[in-house]
Amino acid sequence: LKAHRNETAPCPPQLQGTAAMVKFAKDPSMQARMHQYQIVGRAAPTPKNPVPKIYRMRLFAKNKVLAKSRFWYFMKKLNKAKKSGG
């Protein structure tokens, strides 16, 4: 037997006239809030540069660990300073 697209099976009597409520699962990544952090850091003092320049950056991140990580990511790109050096 072949079913046609426009034919539908009859609804059971217990479901007639009722609307079923469907709950969607919430994505946890959509629930996390972004916060603004101000991170301050500098390179470690060396004999060549005993007083290194201090850098401040405002970042948006979900928590302070991610904010620090992003700070050092940008420091490495912009100022050639690494976390291991400061």
Side-chain angles (χ1 to χ4, degrees):
L1 293 170
K2 211 175 197 184
H4 296 286
R5 287 186 184 172
N6 57 0
E7 291 180 13
T8 58
C11 189
Q14 65 269 21
L15 293 180
Q16 287 180 347
T18 62
M21 186 96 164
V22 178
K23 288 190 178 181
F24 292 100
K26 290 184 181 179
D27 184 10
S29 66
M30 300 300 285
Q31 295 294 321
R33 302 282 185 224
M34 298 293 277
H35 301 284
Q36 185 176 4
Y37 293 92
Q38 181 172 289
I39 309 293
V40 179
R42 67 175 189 162
T46 61
K48 194 178 203 182
N49 187 9
V51 185
K53 188 175 178 182
I54 297 173
Y55 294 96
R56 179 183 62 141
M57 205 176 289
R58 289 184 176 197
L59 300 163
F60 286 92
K62 293 181 183 179
N63 57 43
K64 68 180 182 178
V65 174
L66 291 175
K68 286 181 187 179
S69 175
R70 297 305 292 167
F71 172 79
W72 287 111
Y73 170 80
F74 288 120
M75 285 291 287
K76 186 168 58 173
K77 296 277 187 193
L78 299 172
N79 304 315
K80 297 190 178 175
K82 296 192 300 187
K83 185 177 181 182
S84 60

